[in-house]
Each structure stands twice: as C-alpha cells, then as structure tokens.
Amino acid sequence: MRLLRLISWQYARRHILRTALTVAGIVLGVAVFVAMRTANQNVLLAFSQTIDRIAGRTQLQVTAGEAGFGEEILEKVQSAPTVRIAVPVIEAVAESGLPGQGTLLVLGVDMTGDRSLREYDLSGGQDATVDDPLVFLAQPDSLIISKDLAEKHHLAVGSRLPLQTALGERPFVVRGIMEPTGLATAFGGSLAVMDVYAAQKMFGRGRTFDRIDVALAPGATVADAERQLTALLGPGFEIQPPATRGRQAEAMLAGYAVMVSVSSAFALFVGMFIIYNSFAIAVTQRRSEIGILRALGATRRQIRWLFLCESAALGAIGSVAGLGLGLLIAHATAATLSGLAANLYGVAQQASEVTTRPGVLALAVFIGVTTSVMAAVIPARNAADVDPVQALQKGRFQVISAQENRTRIRLAGVAAGLSIACMFATERRLLFYAGYAFALAAAVLLAPLLSGRLARALRPVLTSVRPVEGALAADSLIQSPRRTSATVLALMLSVALIVAFAGMARAGYASIVQWMNTTLNPDLVVMPSPRFDLRTTRFPAAMAPEIRALEGVERVQMFRFSRITLNGVPIMAVALEMQSVAQTTRLRRPVAGDIEKMFQLSAAGAGVIVSDNLSRRLKLSLGDTLDIPAPYGTIRLPVVGIIVDYSDQQGAVLLDRTVFVEHWHDDSVSDIRVFVARGADIATVRQRIIDRYAGKRRLFVLTSEQSRSYVLNIANQWFGLMYVQVAVAVFVAILGIVNTLTVSITDRRRELGVLQAVGALRRQIRRTIWLEALAVGAIGVLLGCALGAVNLYYVLDIVQRDVAGLRFDYEYPVTTILAIVPVILGAAFAAAIWPAEAALRLPLVEALEHE
C-alpha cells in the first residue's frame, strides 16, 4: 500500500490525461452494461405494476388470446365451484379528443361485480354513482377517469370527453373521478373506465369479451381453480394469474437484451486493450524507476502487485463512474423501450423512477475491476521481470521476435481451425459461441503481424505524400510493433462491432422491404385505427362486400390479426382469405414447401403456413402437426408451408379465415385490403371509401406507400436501438485511438527530441506524427472491416437463432463504413494534434533527457 501511495499515485498525478483516458474505457463498458439492464428491468417492472393495478384483487384471468370469446363462457366460469366472482373485461385503446393527450386505455367492466375486484376510490363523495351500478349502466356514455387526467385537462364530473370509437368520434360524460391510487395510477393516469357492454358496441366487439377476471371462493386454491376451469373450458383457454401477462413484454425485450450484452462485452473488451496499452507503455516509461526499486530490494512479487493494484484501483474508479453514467443513460433508454413494450397495450407505461438492483451494480463493478486487472496482468509480469542492470536500456521492449511471431501464427491457426469446426455445429449453441470466441482470438493473435505487414504496405503511399515525413512515420510504425498493434487492436475490435450492428440493421431493413414488396402489396388498406399495432377495435365482416361494391374496386381481402399463445410462446395468428391472397401475393421462394400447394391446402382448411422465425423457435418442419388452442375446439392441422414473415417478432401462423371463424366464433376484421381495378384512380377510390362511411364509422384508408412507411417506422424503432449500439462502438473506437495515440506520442518525447537535434524542423515532425496517426487509423479500419465481415456473420446467426428467429440476408454495410472512415481518420488526426504540440514545446535538453 505504501508503494501504491508513494509511487503509483504520484505517477497518476503527473499523467492526469492519460489516467483519465485509460479509466474512460472501463467507464463506457460499465455504463453500457448498467444502462441497458437497468432500462430493461425498469420497463418490465413498470409493465408488471400496471398489470397489478389493473388486476386489483383478481387471482386468475381467463383469456383466449386477443380474439376474446363469446358471452356464454362467462356463465361457465361463474358456475365453477372454486369461483366466487367472475367479471368480464374489455380492454381497448382509444384516441381522445383532448389536446395533447393522445391515447387512453379504456377498461370496460361490469359494475355489478367489479367493485369486489377493483377499488374505485372516487373523490368528492361520488361513490353513489358506482355503488348503484344500475345508474351507471343506464347511461352507456358514462366514463370514470383518473384525477390526474381530470386535472391535466380541467375536467370535472359532468364534463364531456370525446373518444374515437368504431362508430367515429363519440362524446362521453365524466361521471366519476378516481383518486390517484391503485387502478387510477396505471399508465400514469391515462385510463378511463366504462360499462363493458357499452365497450362492446363502441369498439366493434360484437358479443365477445377480452377476458374474465376471477376471485376464488373461500378455501379454494389457485392450483385447484386452474385445474377445474381448464377441465371446464378446454385447452383453448389460458387460466393464469395476472402477473404472467408480463411475460409478453419480457419476451419482446429479451432479444434486445442479448444484443446489448454483445455490445457491452465488446466495449469492455476494447477497454481492456486500452488499459493494456496504457500499462504496457507505463511499464516502459518507468523502467528506470522499476530498476531502482528492484535495486533497493523490492521483490518481483511486490512489483507485480504494485501494477495489479494500480489497475484494480483504476478499474474501481472507472466502474463507479460507469454506474453513474449508466443510470443517466438508462433514463433515455427506458423511454425508448417503453415505447416498444407499448405495442402490447398501445399506451406507453413510463417508469416513474429509474432504479436498479444492487446485484446489477455489484456485478458491474466486479466486471469492471476484473477487466482492468486482466488487462494489466501481462504488463505487470513484464514489469516484474525487468532486470535492474538493463533497466536503463531502451528500444528492446518494442521488438517482437521471430519466435513470438511464429507462436502467434500457430496459435491463430489453431483458433481459426477450431472456429471453422464449430461453425458446423450451429445447433449446439455452446459450441457455436465457442467458435465465435475462437474467431475473435485468432484475429487478436494475428493483429500485430498484420499491422506490421500493412505498415510496410503503406510506406510507399506515405512517402508519395511526403517523402521524408512519410518515411519517418512508416518506419516508426514498423519499428514499434507493440505500440502500434495495441492501438490497432482496440480500433479493429470497435470497427468490427460497428460493422456487425450496422450490417444487422441494414440487412433487417432490406429484408423487411423485400417482405413488404411480396406480401403487403394492396393499393389501399382500410383500418379502424391509424396504427397497425392497435387491434382493440375491429370492423364487422359486412363491410368487405360493401367496399367491394364501390366503383373502381376490383378485389377486397379481409385480414384478422390476433395474438395467441402456442406452446407457451405468444405469437400472432393471421386469418386471411387464402384463395384470394394466393392470386395477389408475389411470394416466389418459400423457406419450405410448394407455393401453389401450400395455399391450396390452407385455403381448403387442410393445413397452416408458419413463419420462419416460429418454425425455428418451436423446431417445426414441413408436415409437422400443429395443435393451435382456440376457444371452440383445438385446431389440429399440418404445417404445409414455411415462409419468411415479419408480422410478429415472436412468430406467426397463417390460417384460412373460415378456420378462424369456426374455432373462434368471431368474423370481425382487423383490416380490409383493397385492390383497385385497372385504370381506376387510387385517390378517387380512396375518397369513395371514406365518403361511404362518413359519419357512420371511424376508419382510416392508407395507401400502399403510407402502410409501408408505417411498418418501416415501427421497424426503425428496433433499428434505432441498433444504431445506438453503432454510436457506442464509434465512441469506443474514438476513445481507443485518442487514448493510445496520446500516450504513445507523449512517451516519444526523447525520440522527437533526437529528431530535432539532428536538424528536423518542427513542421516536419508535426507532419510525421500526423501521418503516423492517420496510418494507424487506416490500418485499424482495414483490419476492423475484415473482422467485421466475420463478426456480422455471427451476429446475424445469433439474431436468427437466439434473439428473434428472424432470417436476415447477409449484407455488408458499405455505406456505413464509408461514413465512419472519415470519422475514424479525423479522430486519429485530432488525437495527434495536442500531444504532438506539447512534445514539440518541450525544451530540447529536457526532451533528450526524457525517460
């Protein structure tokens, strides 16, 4: 501890900038780790709290996916001996006419029994309105709203609140205001309660309910009630506690969590190389100091522990700073993830406070300190091995022997061979990830050798730009392989990460565009809501022939989207008119199956088509029998086709509309797709549809371009998160190059002094340093682009098999690379300016005495 205080602390004080840049590598890696995990946890916690607040004292919920079920199911549930109370519920998202409010979650409940499950803490003595449910039922335009919503928009009992319903905009009357506790706090108060039967009419539900909330009879257990209700209702129903609804949000965010783990691991890995390079140069600079300590009796073990303790201290400082930065980043990230989770409700639930678990903070500090110590192991060992007699000798530390090169090549060959062998075992994920690690190891081992080769290759280029300065810059890189390779390694890994995430976003975007060109190809899409992800309002089936009868309409297709649970996985069931879709789709090459045969069989109700990501999740093959739970009988049909489909991140099963109507007893429609007759004007037909239902029904008619833009906007939410990772990688790359160039140039003051002593002009030395920095940046980018091609392959495979099951075509992000090359080279140039000027301002005598 005395050596740490007297020597290490004094050294850190003299090199504040270097210390700060070294610590920054750990700060960034820990910050990414903490921010993303904290954001994920807080969004899931807020979502779970919302579910709990809406559920109230509900012990079990009966659902059958998003499609709901008929009113007769309520009587069955109420007849179960284990059930004390069974209350029907409808959840719908409606746009309000309130300025600046946006959407509200409308909860349709049966007031005759709902007070036993949920507390309606009404302010101002209004309890009589709800205590007498007949009063509430007799006024179907009644709403109960939260006090927060009322105060925000200056509403009182008796005020009118317009809502967009399936029948168009309708005025509702506020007949109760809830105090901000329990139910009223869900979604930050963006919630309204109305009668369940009024909700059926207003949101096009027919005679169906979304779910039934159940309270158990005295003495009944949850397990007993689950068994009894399952036997009573059949496998098409889910009987679960309310908390299980949070699994959908968890599944949605799980994929992003995997990619965040890769990003934070890379950031820490690059930070490790930054620390390694800083300590390696520090050992070189302090050789005389180490020699004196050894001569005074310090043991090799003490010297080794001195450097390891230094690295641990820096790791601890960086980790603590990373915790603070990570919590700040988590605030912004949580808002984005809340928007993604809102796809489940249509109303975003913001985390009111961003907090994290102590375990995450402790793990982050442990990872940061461990990474820092691991990075210092080799420099610490080298410091311990310094011979006191040779401590003042210079230059030898930079030499990489031929034997070391041969060893590196052999080890890299073994790692590359193991990586290739593991590529053939992609189904065994542990081996696959081992192959990924071996590929990175091979690249790290070969980087010093390749850096030297590329430096020699760049020598003619540099000399052609500036004969003298270019030659000096190239020779400095060639003669200092350790210093050069450490900088290049950090930059190479960062650029490889940039290539992987940018390539994944580009491949995903291109794949979704191709999918839309083949499947989302109607001229017009008629929807009850302006958002594809809101399915709480539906059209009656009678609208399809009405639209078909309009002048200029050649064909209409009815689509129904409903989320169901299949083998424990929340997926999308897509009911469509298979025979009609077969005539309009441009699908040419399915993943498995024959196009004509799959549509023919599914149109006849003799099979289903599944998405590629679902087939991978559930390990489905052509011909496998699928048991799809439905409220009115399990659908048992073979898989007749597998296609690339991005309807849902978790997967989709496509079945004929007649099969859906038969097993769900529901013929309502999510959207109607319109194909305009040849020669007819699309804008004119669109206006005819709007005029046909003006004042009768609320609808939105999107053109093909508008519907595609909407889908791409949703996709861009995910891709935007990927580009955040790209930005992190770019920042890590800039940090690495700034750190290592600052350190290396600062520690070459003696070399620069010698050049001045033999007659070199200051501008020549300045240009030499600039060219050297640009060459390091160019070498790092070249190697990073090459490693990035391999990294992209692995990341796409991870996305396909472990994250979302989505099949993206391999597409190298050339545009992104062209954009970041000037950024990286500019950072390299900027990193060299200040330390070069500082070194040149040093008096010549002092520079020659340096080290």
Side-chain angles (χ1 to χ4, degrees), residues 69-78 212 233 237 632:
F69 42 78
E71 294 177 348
E72 70 276 9
I73 302 299
L74 177 62
E75 296 180 6
K76 288 187 177 182
V77 174
Q78 289 174 334
I212 298 172
L233 301 177
F237 291 84
Y632 300 95

Side-chain angles (χ1 to χ4, degrees), residues 306-365:
L306 173 65
F307 281 92
L308 291 178
C309 288
E310 280 187 32
S311 67
L314 290 178
I317 295 171
S319 298
V320 172
L323 297 182
L325 178 60
L327 291 175
L328 291 176
I329 298 174
H331 280 273
T333 308
T336 302
L337 294 180
S338 293
L340 293 173
N343 291 336
L344 298 175
Y345 265 118
V347 182
Q349 168 64 62
Q350 300 290 348
S352 56
E353 295 182 2
V354 175
T355 57
T356 192
R357 299 173 183 172
V360 172
L361 300 180
L363 180 59
V365 172

Side-chain angles (χ1 to χ4, degrees), residues 149-329:
L149 183 66
E151 291 179 348
K152 180 179 179 182
H153 297 283
H154 309 290
L155 300 174
V157 174
S159 298
R160 292 189 175 274
L161 193 163
L163 290 180
Q164 295 289 351
T165 71
L167 305 177
E169 183 175 292
R170 291 290 186 271
F172 289 82
V173 179
V174 176
R175 291 201 164 89
I177 297 176
M178 295 179 285
E179 293 290 346
T181 58
L183 175 64
T185 61
F187 297 110
S190 298
L191 178 139
V193 180
M194 66 185 302
D195 177 63
V196 67
Y197 297 100
Q200 285 179 330
K201 178 181 178 181
M202 292 298 172
F203 299 104
R205 300 306 178 83
R207 307 300 294 178
T208 65
F209 299 130
D210 288 348
R211 71 170 192 265
I212 298 172
D213 287 356
V214 174
L216 303 184
T221 65
V222 170
D224 290 340
E226 285 183 8
R227 285 193 296 269
Q228 188 177 88
L229 290 173
T230 299
L232 182 66
L233 301 177
F237 291 84
E238 295 179 61
I239 298 95
Q240 297 174 326
T244 57
R245 297 183 69 188
R247 294 175 185 171
Q248 293 184 25
E250 190 172 355
M252 178 177 290
L253 299 178
Y256 184 61
V258 172
M259 303 316 300
V260 165
S261 298
V262 173
S263 177
S264 56
F266 258 85
L268 286 168
F269 199 37
V270 173
M272 181 186 297
F273 276 98
I274 292 174
I275 291 175
Y276 166 79
N277 191 51
S278 298
F279 271 89
I281 293 176
V283 169
T284 301
Q285 186 183 28
R286 297 161 67 183
R287 284 167 64 86
S288 58
E289 180 182 290
I290 296 169
I292 293 173
L293 288 174
R294 291 293 314 283
L296 292 175
T299 64
R300 294 179 185 270
R301 184 173 180 274
Q302 287 176 317
I303 298 298
R304 184 184 303 112
W305 277 104
L306 173 65
F307 281 92
L308 291 178
C309 288
E310 280 187 32
S311 67
L314 290 178
I317 295 171
S319 298
V320 172
L323 297 182
L325 178 60
L327 291 175
L328 291 176
I329 298 174

Side-chain angles (χ1 to χ4, degrees), residues 653-673:
V653 55
L654 286 68
L655 64 159
D656 192 72
R657 176 174 166 78
T658 57
V659 177
F660 184 90
V661 173
E662 177 186 354
H663 291 84
W664 270 268
H665 292 187
D666 183 1
D667 66 350
S668 60
V669 181
S670 297
D671 64 63
I672 299 173
R673 305 188 182 186

